[in-house]
Amino acid sequence: MSADHPAPAADDQPIVITVDADDPRYGFGVDVGGSGVKGGIVDLETGELVGDRFKITTPQPATPDAVAATVAQIVAHFGWTGRVGITLPSVVAGGVVRTAANIDKAWIGTDPYELFGRHLSSPGLSVLNDADAAGLAEVRYGSNDDDVDGVIIMLTLGTGIGSAIVLPGGQLLPNTELGHLRVGDDEAEAQASSRAKEVNDWSYKHWAGKLSRVLAEYEMLFSPALFIVGGGISRKADKWVPLLTNSTPVVPAILRNTAGIVGAAMAAEARMRP
Ligand code: BGC
């Protein structure tokens, strides 16, 4: 067995697997989003991907069977035979998908374990909310958080706002959906997602004011020790984090676009079923 990074393969060529799927050091995660389904092998000691991630455009309509077939294609691309973690932009609780953001509404009410079990021959699956996966990964592997003593709230600022609340000790409080909390007249994600900034053509300053108000509301409810902010807009964090006026420190995510994959693999390794 070797942990060497495999040579990048052309998109339609199966990658020759270079790690042992039975070695608990390695896991596999797939992150399902409205525009892409991305997966890869994860080194759970470092939180890094082994080789490249592989991305397929999300099928439209993004129905359960179409998405599950895409997930199976990604797993097969790597020849992976171990446990698989899968994220959805959904509340996944009690073995049922309860919401569907940017994927087909046919997901609502489905049993994701039955669904993915039909498409994959994996020895074990974990299916969880995308922001929850990102939060697990950022808190464990992001170098920001080593000295944080208290609750950490991870927010993914994108089309919507995803949230993960991670308790001291690394345990997740799943499915918190803080983006849908009403702050003033509107849901948080209508005011403080990066989409809200874009569609309203707000300056960083104006948007940072909106986000500060949302963060202040979360502070009042949860008294976190730290906010971690992810999503594409976190790459430009230097433009807007200094403009925030809430009191809890805010740091940009470190793993960025691999966090969902890494967190999914962590959940599968921990046999998590939120
Ligand atoms: C959904 C969440 C999801 C987030 C990011 C929100 O609109 O309600 O479940 O985590 O978007 O995809």
PDB file of all heavy atoms in Angstrom, residues 22 24 83-84 113 123-127 264-274:
ATOM      1  N   ASP A  22      -9.521  -0.463   3.401  1.00  0.00           N
ATOM      2  CA  ASP A  22      -9.748  -1.021   4.746  1.00  0.00           C
ATOM      3  C   ASP A  22      -8.887  -0.340   5.801  1.00  0.00           C
ATOM      4  O   ASP A  22      -9.057  -0.568   6.987  1.00  0.00           O
ATOM      5  CB  ASP A  22      -9.430  -2.526   4.759  1.00  0.00           C
ATOM      6  CG  ASP A  22     -10.417  -3.288   3.896  1.00  0.00           C
ATOM      7  OD1 ASP A  22     -11.580  -2.837   3.812  1.00  0.00           O
ATOM      8  OD2 ASP A  22     -10.015  -4.303   3.295  1.00  0.00           O
ATOM      9  N   PRO A  24      -8.088   2.372   8.217  1.00  0.00           N
ATOM     10  CA  PRO A  24      -8.923   3.434   8.784  1.00  0.00           C
ATOM     11  C   PRO A  24      -8.339   4.833   8.597  1.00  0.00           C
ATOM     12  O   PRO A  24      -9.012   5.829   8.840  1.00  0.00           O
ATOM     13  CB  PRO A  24      -9.027   3.064  10.268  1.00  0.00           C
ATOM     14  CG  PRO A  24      -7.938   2.099  10.524  1.00  0.00           C
ATOM     15  CD  PRO A  24      -7.620   1.423   9.215  1.00  0.00           C
ATOM     16  N   ARG A  83     -16.174   2.417   3.209  1.00  0.00           N
ATOM     17  CA  ARG A  83     -17.329   3.211   3.654  1.00  0.00           C
ATOM     18  C   ARG A  83     -17.359   4.532   2.896  1.00  0.00           C
ATOM     19  O   ARG A  83     -16.308   5.064   2.524  1.00  0.00           O
ATOM     20  CB  ARG A  83     -17.210   3.490   5.158  1.00  0.00           C
ATOM     21  CG  ARG A  83     -17.050   2.252   6.017  1.00  0.00           C
ATOM     22  CD  ARG A  83     -16.936   2.601   7.491  1.00  0.00           C
ATOM     23  NE  ARG A  83     -18.189   3.189   7.957  1.00  0.00           N
ATOM     24  CZ  ARG A  83     -19.266   2.491   8.309  1.00  0.00           C
ATOM     25  NH1 ARG A  83     -19.229   1.181   8.291  1.00  0.00           N
ATOM     26  NH2 ARG A  83     -20.361   3.096   8.697  1.00  0.00           N
ATOM     27  N   VAL A  84     -18.554   5.069   2.718  1.00  0.00           N
ATOM     28  CA  VAL A  84     -18.701   6.317   1.961  1.00  0.00           C
ATOM     29  C   VAL A  84     -19.583   7.283   2.749  1.00  0.00           C
ATOM     30  O   VAL A  84     -20.648   6.905   3.247  1.00  0.00           O
ATOM     31  CB  VAL A  84     -19.345   6.043   0.572  1.00  0.00           C
ATOM     32  CG1 VAL A  84     -19.637   7.350  -0.169  1.00  0.00           C
ATOM     33  CG2 VAL A  84     -18.436   5.161  -0.288  1.00  0.00           C
ATOM     34  N   TYR A 113     -30.584   6.097   2.912  1.00  0.00           N
ATOM     35  CA  TYR A 113     -29.803   4.861   3.073  1.00  0.00           C
ATOM     36  C   TYR A 113     -30.315   3.771   2.129  1.00  0.00           C
ATOM     37  O   TYR A 113     -29.541   3.038   1.521  1.00  0.00           O
ATOM     38  CB  TYR A 113     -29.809   4.415   4.540  1.00  0.00           C
ATOM     39  CG  TYR A 113     -29.062   5.432   5.371  1.00  0.00           C
ATOM     40  CD1 TYR A 113     -29.739   6.416   6.094  1.00  0.00           C
ATOM     41  CD2 TYR A 113     -27.671   5.473   5.355  1.00  0.00           C
ATOM     42  CE1 TYR A 113     -29.058   7.390   6.793  1.00  0.00           C
ATOM     43  CE2 TYR A 113     -26.972   6.441   6.053  1.00  0.00           C
ATOM     44  CZ  TYR A 113     -27.668   7.401   6.773  1.00  0.00           C
ATOM     45  OH  TYR A 113     -26.973   8.372   7.449  1.00  0.00           O
ATOM     46  N   PRO A 123     -19.758  -0.963   2.126  1.00  0.00           N
ATOM     47  CA  PRO A 123     -20.032  -1.656   3.392  1.00  0.00           C
ATOM     48  C   PRO A 123     -20.682  -0.759   4.441  1.00  0.00           C
ATOM     49  O   PRO A 123     -21.136  -1.247   5.468  1.00  0.00           O
ATOM     50  CB  PRO A 123     -18.643  -2.101   3.855  1.00  0.00           C
ATOM     51  CG  PRO A 123     -17.692  -1.181   3.174  1.00  0.00           C
ATOM     52  CD  PRO A 123     -18.323  -0.811   1.863  1.00  0.00           C
ATOM     53  N   GLY A 124     -20.744   0.546   4.230  1.00  0.00           N
ATOM     54  CA  GLY A 124     -21.380   1.415   5.228  1.00  0.00           C
ATOM     55  C   GLY A 124     -21.500   2.828   4.694  1.00  0.00           C
ATOM     56  O   GLY A 124     -20.586   3.329   4.036  1.00  0.00           O
ATOM     57  N   LEU A 125     -22.622   3.461   4.965  1.00  0.00           N
ATOM     58  CA  LEU A 125     -22.867   4.816   4.454  1.00  0.00           C
ATOM     59  C   LEU A 125     -23.219   5.756   5.597  1.00  0.00           C
ATOM     60  O   LEU A 125     -23.814   5.337   6.592  1.00  0.00           O
ATOM     61  CB  LEU A 125     -24.077   4.798   3.503  1.00  0.00           C
ATOM     62  CG  LEU A 125     -23.968   3.968   2.228  1.00  0.00           C
ATOM     63  CD1 LEU A 125     -25.322   3.920   1.522  1.00  0.00           C
ATOM     64  CD2 LEU A 125     -22.912   4.567   1.301  1.00  0.00           C
ATOM     65  N   SER A 126     -22.842   7.013   5.435  1.00  0.00           N
ATOM     66  CA  SER A 126     -23.342   8.081   6.301  1.00  0.00           C
ATOM     67  C   SER A 126     -23.841   9.183   5.389  1.00  0.00           C
ATOM     68  O   SER A 126     -23.148   9.546   4.430  1.00  0.00           O
ATOM     69  CB  SER A 126     -22.238   8.652   7.188  1.00  0.00           C
ATOM     70  OG  SER A 126     -21.941   7.762   8.218  1.00  0.00           O
ATOM     71  N   VAL A 127     -25.011   9.711   5.663  1.00  0.00           N
ATOM     72  CA  VAL A 127     -25.559  10.796   4.855  1.00  0.00           C
ATOM     73  C   VAL A 127     -25.877  11.941   5.804  1.00  0.00           C
ATOM     74  O   VAL A 127     -26.558  11.735   6.824  1.00  0.00           O
ATOM     75  CB  VAL A 127     -26.833  10.342   4.103  1.00  0.00           C
ATOM     76  CG1 VAL A 127     -27.325  11.460   3.191  1.00  0.00           C
ATOM     77  CG2 VAL A 127     -26.574   9.074   3.293  1.00  0.00           C
ATOM     78  N   ALA A 264     -17.656  14.579   5.114  1.00  0.00           N
ATOM     79  CA  ALA A 264     -18.465  13.393   4.779  1.00  0.00           C
ATOM     80  C   ALA A 264     -17.669  12.130   5.102  1.00  0.00           C
ATOM     81  O   ALA A 264     -18.192  11.163   5.682  1.00  0.00           O
ATOM     82  CB  ALA A 264     -18.854  13.430   3.304  1.00  0.00           C
ATOM     83  N   ALA A 265     -16.387  12.150   4.738  1.00  0.00           N
ATOM     84  CA  ALA A 265     -15.536  10.977   5.017  1.00  0.00           C
ATOM     85  C   ALA A 265     -15.388  10.778   6.533  1.00  0.00           C
ATOM     86  O   ALA A 265     -15.400   9.631   7.022  1.00  0.00           O
ATOM     87  CB  ALA A 265     -14.169  11.165   4.362  1.00  0.00           C
ATOM     88  N   MET A 266     -15.264  11.885   7.275  1.00  0.00           N
ATOM     89  CA  MET A 266     -15.185  11.776   8.751  1.00  0.00           C
ATOM     90  C   MET A 266     -16.448  11.130   9.310  1.00  0.00           C
ATOM     91  O   MET A 266     -16.399  10.279  10.203  1.00  0.00           O
ATOM     92  CB  MET A 266     -15.055  13.166   9.382  1.00  0.00           C
ATOM     93  CG  MET A 266     -13.717  13.826   9.235  1.00  0.00           C
ATOM     94  SD  MET A 266     -13.829  15.565   9.778  1.00  0.00           S
ATOM     95  CE  MET A 266     -14.113  15.367  11.544  1.00  0.00           C
ATOM     96  N   ALA A 267     -17.597  11.572   8.803  1.00  0.00           N
ATOM     97  CA  ALA A 267     -18.878  11.058   9.305  1.00  0.00           C
ATOM     98  C   ALA A 267     -18.984   9.557   9.026  1.00  0.00           C
ATOM     99  O   ALA A 267     -19.456   8.784   9.871  1.00  0.00           O
ATOM    100  CB  ALA A 267     -20.035  11.808   8.652  1.00  0.00           C
ATOM    101  N   ALA A 268     -18.529   9.153   7.831  1.00  0.00           N
ATOM    102  CA  ALA A 268     -18.608   7.726   7.483  1.00  0.00           C
ATOM    103  C   ALA A 268     -17.696   6.913   8.395  1.00  0.00           C
ATOM    104  O   ALA A 268     -18.078   5.841   8.886  1.00  0.00           O
ATOM    105  CB  ALA A 268     -18.216   7.530   6.014  1.00  0.00           C
ATOM    106  N   GLU A 269     -16.506   7.443   8.642  1.00  0.00           N
ATOM    107  CA  GLU A 269     -15.557   6.737   9.502  1.00  0.00           C
ATOM    108  C   GLU A 269     -16.113   6.618  10.931  1.00  0.00           C
ATOM    109  O   GLU A 269     -15.939   5.604  11.602  1.00  0.00           O
ATOM    110  CB  GLU A 269     -14.210   7.497   9.496  1.00  0.00           C
ATOM    111  CG  GLU A 269     -13.124   6.890  10.340  1.00  0.00           C
ATOM    112  CD  GLU A 269     -12.794   5.456   9.937  1.00  0.00           C
ATOM    113  OE1 GLU A 269     -13.027   5.078   8.766  1.00  0.00           O
ATOM    114  OE2 GLU A 269     -12.324   4.694  10.818  1.00  0.00           O
ATOM    115  N   ALA A 270     -16.811   7.669  11.373  1.00  0.00           N
ATOM    116  CA  ALA A 270     -17.384   7.670  12.737  1.00  0.00           C
ATOM    117  C   ALA A 270     -18.740   6.941  12.779  1.00  0.00           C
ATOM    118  O   ALA A 270     -19.403   6.948  13.812  1.00  0.00           O
ATOM    119  CB  ALA A 270     -17.540   9.110  13.225  1.00  0.00           C
ATOM    120  N   ARG A 271     -19.156   6.415  11.625  1.00  0.00           N
ATOM    121  CA  ARG A 271     -20.457   5.708  11.526  1.00  0.00           C
ATOM    122  C   ARG A 271     -21.600   6.597  12.014  1.00  0.00           C
ATOM    123  O   ARG A 271     -22.507   6.171  12.717  1.00  0.00           O
ATOM    124  CB  ARG A 271     -20.419   4.392  12.311  1.00  0.00           C
ATOM    125  CG  ARG A 271     -19.515   3.375  11.636  1.00  0.00           C
ATOM    126  CD  ARG A 271     -19.039   2.296  12.564  1.00  0.00           C
ATOM    127  NE  ARG A 271     -18.353   1.222  11.846  1.00  0.00           N
ATOM    128  CZ  ARG A 271     -17.167   1.294  11.266  1.00  0.00           C
ATOM    129  NH1 ARG A 271     -16.504   2.447  11.264  1.00  0.00           N
ATOM    130  NH2 ARG A 271     -16.644   0.259  10.663  1.00  0.00           N
ATOM    131  N   MET A 272     -21.505   7.846  11.617  1.00  0.00           N
ATOM    132  CA  MET A 272     -22.475   8.841  12.066  1.00  0.00           C
ATOM    133  C   MET A 272     -23.751   8.713  11.237  1.00  0.00           C
ATOM    134  O   MET A 272     -23.701   8.592  10.017  1.00  0.00           O
ATOM    135  CB  MET A 272     -21.840  10.217  11.829  1.00  0.00           C
ATOM    136  CG  MET A 272     -22.451  11.336  12.611  1.00  0.00           C
ATOM    137  SD  MET A 272     -21.578  12.860  12.180  1.00  0.00           S
ATOM    138  CE  MET A 272     -20.169  12.750  13.234  1.00  0.00           C
ATOM    139  N   ARG A 273     -24.878   8.734  11.895  1.00  0.00           N
ATOM    140  CA  ARG A 273     -26.174   8.788  11.184  1.00  0.00           C
ATOM    141  C   ARG A 273     -27.049   9.813  11.886  1.00  0.00           C
ATOM    142  O   ARG A 273     -27.828   9.465  12.766  1.00  0.00           O
ATOM    143  CB  ARG A 273     -26.861   7.422  11.209  1.00  0.00           C
ATOM    144  CG  ARG A 273     -26.262   6.437  10.233  1.00  0.00           C
ATOM    145  CD  ARG A 273     -27.252   5.325   9.947  1.00  0.00           C
ATOM    146  NE  ARG A 273     -26.749   4.447   8.928  1.00  0.00           N
ATOM    147  CZ  ARG A 273     -27.515   3.629   8.198  1.00  0.00           C
ATOM    148  NH1 ARG A 273     -28.823   3.577   8.410  1.00  0.00           N
ATOM    149  NH2 ARG A 273     -26.982   2.852   7.287  1.00  0.00           N
ATOM    150  N   PRO A 274     -26.900  11.089  11.471  1.00  0.00           N
ATOM    151  CA  PRO A 274     -27.623  12.122  12.205  1.00  0.00           C
ATOM    152  C   PRO A 274     -29.148  11.944  12.094  1.00  0.00           C
ATOM    153  O   PRO A 274     -29.624  11.395  11.136  1.00  0.00           O
ATOM    154  CB  PRO A 274     -27.185  13.422  11.548  1.00  0.00           C
ATOM    155  CG  PRO A 274     -26.357  13.091  10.387  1.00  0.00           C
ATOM    156  CD  PRO A 274     -26.162  11.619  10.322  1.00  0.00           C
TER     157      PRO A 274
END
